[in-house]
């Protein structure tokens, strides 16, 4: 996880920056990684709970799809104001509060008994989670210059596939272990409780562990602080000289590239959320009935994605190239979805397709974020990043609801996979419309 500073710096400053970046990566990334891991578990564990919850409560696939997706209505509505609040009060306090609230709400999903209670809790969990991811993206811009963010984002966002690697077997084990209704609770209720409470504890940890910025980091020397702060200033000045940079939220709203980036992010997330919410069900449809086996099989695509994401992130930073490092993974995702839809029920071909789709969609997701941070100035970043994230997160509502509705209508997820592959292909083509000078180093 060592990040190399630019070769254009003097040797003494290179050494200082190298040490400072290494400290920052090891201090920040592992802890934030764990926070994001539970953020994602709390968001998508409903996909495993579904294996029992629907029959227990008498809910339809469409009700499940709507409940899974309504989370993102709250998320989209509150993304921009939440990130502006973070900019005002500081990352440490705001992120800690968000985690305390959404961890509590996620655990409370164990009390769901009707479609209405399912919808309400999912909606307000989305409201609470809205500021976390764009807030962390903004937070990284206050520590690392643009040419370091590809690898940083890949390391951070590898929490998504790791949540699948760990969360699949863990969720499957919970459903099996608590199947007898221990403590008066069903397995799906224990799943929500045991995966929600750690987020509350991590929220307390955020308040005491994170620093709002370089100036507050006692674990950096004075020399390292000056070097890192100057590197950020030099980076923004260099990028501003190369290309126009948006410096206010009002200018962000008028920028067609920002809206196009929102559309690209929407296309990527359509594939990502289909995989997250429906992977266990697709594997079950291949003939596997044991929750434990489904959990282990669902971990395989995410395990492959872990390594692929980090490799692609390192490659993007080394080459200073951004567009094709998004496009090629997305094309891999398209191929994977088409393979899964045309597997004819063959387990090995379905798993290969699902693995390629997961690798491509998640690598494209992590490599997307260096694109907007490359041309948003510091004054515009808080609102701009949240706006792009909110536009993309609309897919979190559309994708699971679309798949659920199509499955109820056709009794198959294959037509939905065709639609999703087409959307991801459109996103890849839109990336190529971004002028290279805006995002490449």
């Amino acid at each position: 996880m060592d990040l190399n500073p630019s070769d254009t710096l003097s040797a003494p400053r290179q050494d200082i920056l190298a040490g400072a970046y290494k400290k920052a990566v090891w201090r920040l990334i592992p802890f934030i990684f764990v926070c994001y891991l539970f953020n994602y578990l709390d968001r998508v564990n409903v996909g495993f709970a579904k294996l029992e919850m629907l029959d227990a409560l008498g809910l339809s696939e469409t009700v499940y799809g709507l409940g899974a997706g309504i989370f993102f209505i709250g998320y989209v509505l509150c993304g921009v104001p939440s990130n502006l609040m973070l900019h005002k009060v500081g990352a440490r306090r705001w992120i800690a509060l968000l985690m305390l609230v959404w961890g509590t709400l996620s655990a409370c999903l164990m009390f769901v008994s009707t479609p209405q209670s399912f919808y309400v809790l999912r909606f307000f969990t989305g409201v609470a989670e809205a500021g976390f991811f764009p807030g962390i993206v903004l937070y990284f811009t206050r520590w690392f210059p643009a040419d370091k963010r590809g690898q940083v984002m890949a390391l951070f966002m590898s929490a998504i596939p790791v949540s699948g690697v760990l969360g699949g077997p863990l969720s499957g084990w919970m459903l099996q272990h608590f199947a007898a209704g221990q403590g008066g609770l069903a397995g799906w209720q224990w799943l929500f409780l045991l995966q929600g409470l750690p987020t509350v504890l991590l929220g307390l940890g955020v308040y005491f562990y994170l620093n709002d910025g370089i100036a507050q980091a006692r674990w950096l020397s004075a020399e390292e602080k000056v070097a890192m702060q100057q590197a950020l200033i030099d980076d923004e000045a260099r990028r501003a000289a190369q290309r126009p940079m948006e410096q206010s939220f009002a200018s962000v709203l008028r920028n067609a590239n920002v809206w196009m980036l929102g559309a690209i992010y929407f296309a990527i997330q359509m594939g990502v959320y289909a995989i997250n919410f429906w992977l266990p069900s697709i594997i079950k449809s291949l003939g596997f009935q044991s929750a434990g086996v489904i959990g282990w099989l669902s971990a395989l695509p995410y395990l492959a994605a872990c390594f692929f994401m980090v490799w692609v992130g390192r490659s993007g930073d080394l080459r200073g190239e951004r567009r094709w490092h998004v496009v090629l993974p997305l094309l891999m995702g398209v191929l994977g979805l088409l393979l899964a839809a045309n597997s004819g029920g063959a387990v090995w071909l379905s798993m290969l397709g699902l693995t390629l789709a997961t690798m491509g969609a998640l690598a494209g997701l992590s490599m997307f974020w260096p694109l907007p941070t490359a041309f948003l100035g510091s004054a515009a970043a808080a609102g701009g990043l949240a706006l792009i994230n909110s536009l993309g997160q609309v897919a979190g509502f559309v994708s699971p609801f679309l798949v659920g509705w199509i499955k109820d209508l056709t009794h198959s997820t294959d037509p939905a996979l065709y639609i999703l592959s087409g959307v991801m292909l459109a996103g890849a083509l839109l990336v190529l419309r971004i002028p290279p000078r805006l995002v490449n180093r």
Side-chain angles (χ1 to χ4, degrees):
M1 292 203 298
D2 192 3
L3 299 175
N4 296 321
S6 171
D7 292 336
T8 61
L9 302 175
S10 64
R13 188 176 166 196
Q14 279 188 3
D15 293 339
I16 293 170
L17 272 177
Y21 287 139
K22 186 173 183 177
K23 282 185 183 180
V25 166
W26 283 104
R27 171 80 182 192
L28 300 176
I29 302 300
F31 180 74
I32 295 175
F33 173 95
V34 174
C35 292
Y36 192 41
L37 189 152
F38 277 94
N39 172 259
Y40 227 78
L41 279 178
D42 289 344
R43 188 183 306 181
V44 302
N45 58 10
V46 69
F48 270 94
K50 168 186 180 287
L51 298 176
E52 289 187 358
M53 188 173 71
L54 264 62
D55 289 337
L57 301 180
L59 305 179
S60 71
E61 298 282 355
T62 303
V63 168
Y64 163 73
L66 180 58
I70 206 168
F71 168 100
F72 296 95
I73 300 298
Y75 193 106
V76 169
L77 291 175
C78 295
V80 172
S82 184
N83 224 36
L84 294 176
M85 184 62 70
L86 180 146
H87 187 62
K88 182 177 180 180
V89 306
R92 181 173 60 93
R93 294 181 181 86
W94 190 243
I95 291 175
L97 177 62
L98 294 180
M99 294 186 71
L100 289 171
V101 174
W102 98 59
T104 301
L105 290 171
S106 183
C108 285
L109 280 164
M110 64 186 285
F111 299 118
V112 163
S113 59
T114 64
Q116 291 74 24
S117 59
F118 184 39
Y119 299 154
V120 169
L121 280 172
R122 286 288 294 175
F123 175 82
F124 283 106
T125 304
V127 169
E129 288 195 29
F132 178 77
F133 179 80
I136 293 297
V137 176
L138 175 64
Y139 186 67
F140 285 148
T141 66
R142 296 174 177 175
W143 291 86
F144 303 102
D147 62 351
K148 303 290 184 286
R149 292 175 199 156
Q151 189 177 347
V152 167
M153 287 302 300
L155 290 169
F156 162 59
M157 295 188 71
S158 63
I160 299 176
V162 170
S163 73
V165 172
L166 300 179
L170 179 63
S171 297
W173 174 82
M174 287 179 178
L175 291 177
Q176 280 192 324
H177 183 74
F178 295 105
Q182 298 180 35
L185 300 176
W188 63 270
Q189 292 175 303
W190 278 109
L191 187 152
F192 284 130
L193 176 64
L194 295 178
Q195 293 187 9
L197 290 182
T199 299
V200 175
L201 299 177
L202 285 167
L204 295 173
V206 165
Y207 184 81
F208 293 103
Y209 185 80
L210 288 188
N211 305 110
D212 283 319
I214 295 170
Q216 292 78 33
R218 295 181 180 178
W219 39 272
L220 290 172
S221 69
E223 236 180 3
E224 288 170 333
K225 290 180 183 180
V226 170
M228 289 183 72
Q229 289 168 332
Q230 189 59 49
L232 290 177
I233 293 170
D234 292 346
D235 176 65
E236 183 149 346
R238 175 183 59 79
R239 290 184 291 122
Q242 290 176 343
R243 60 185 76 95
M245 295 185 67
E246 302 297 350
Q247 294 296 342
S248 71
F249 186 54
S251 64
V252 165
L253 294 175
R254 296 190 297 268
N255 191 317
N257 283 321
V258 170
W259 293 96
M260 183 168 68
L261 286 166
I264 293 167
Y265 196 50
F266 172 87
I268 298 172
Q269 290 285 34
M270 283 289 285
V272 169
Y273 282 119
I275 293 166
N276 288 335
F277 286 118
W278 288 94
L279 182 60
S281 297
I282 293 173
I283 292 175
K284 185 177 181 179
S285 71
L286 297 175
F288 299 97
Q289 298 302 316
S290 167
V293 172
I294 293 171
W296 283 106
L297 286 175
S298 70
L300 296 178
Y302 289 112
L303 181 62
C306 288
F307 296 102
F308 187 62
M309 285 174 70
V310 174
W311 178 81
V312 173
R314 184 181 293 272
S315 172
D317 281 353
L318 287 175
R319 290 167 174 77
E321 199 287 324
R322 297 302 182 197
R323 297 190 314 159
W324 285 103
H325 283 78
V326 179
V327 171
L328 293 179
L330 290 185
L331 294 179
M332 179 190 294
V334 170
L335 174 62
L337 290 176
L338 292 176
L339 278 176
N342 289 277
S343 65
V347 173
W348 72 271
L349 190 57
S350 292
M351 289 303 301
L352 174 62
L354 292 171
T355 299
L356 289 175
T358 305
M359 292 169 64
L362 292 180
L365 185 69
S366 67
M367 290 308 298
F368 168 82
W369 283 104
L371 300 181
T373 59
F375 70 90
L376 288 175
S378 57
L385 295 175
L387 175 62
I388 292 168
N389 185 59
S390 294
L391 292 170
Q393 294 297 348
V394 174
F397 173 78
V398 175
S399 182
F401 179 71
L402 176 70
V403 178
W405 177 71
I406 288 177
K407 188 175 181 184
D408 272 342
L409 193 67
T410 66
H411 306 290
S412 172
T413 56
D414 290 350
L417 297 182
Y418 285 117
I419 294 172
L420 294 169
S421 64
V423 173
M424 288 182 65
L425 177 60
L429 295 176
L430 280 178
V431 172
L432 294 177
R433 289 183 57 85
I434 301 174
R437 62 181 178 80
L438 287 180
V439 293
N440 289 346
R441 186 168 70 240

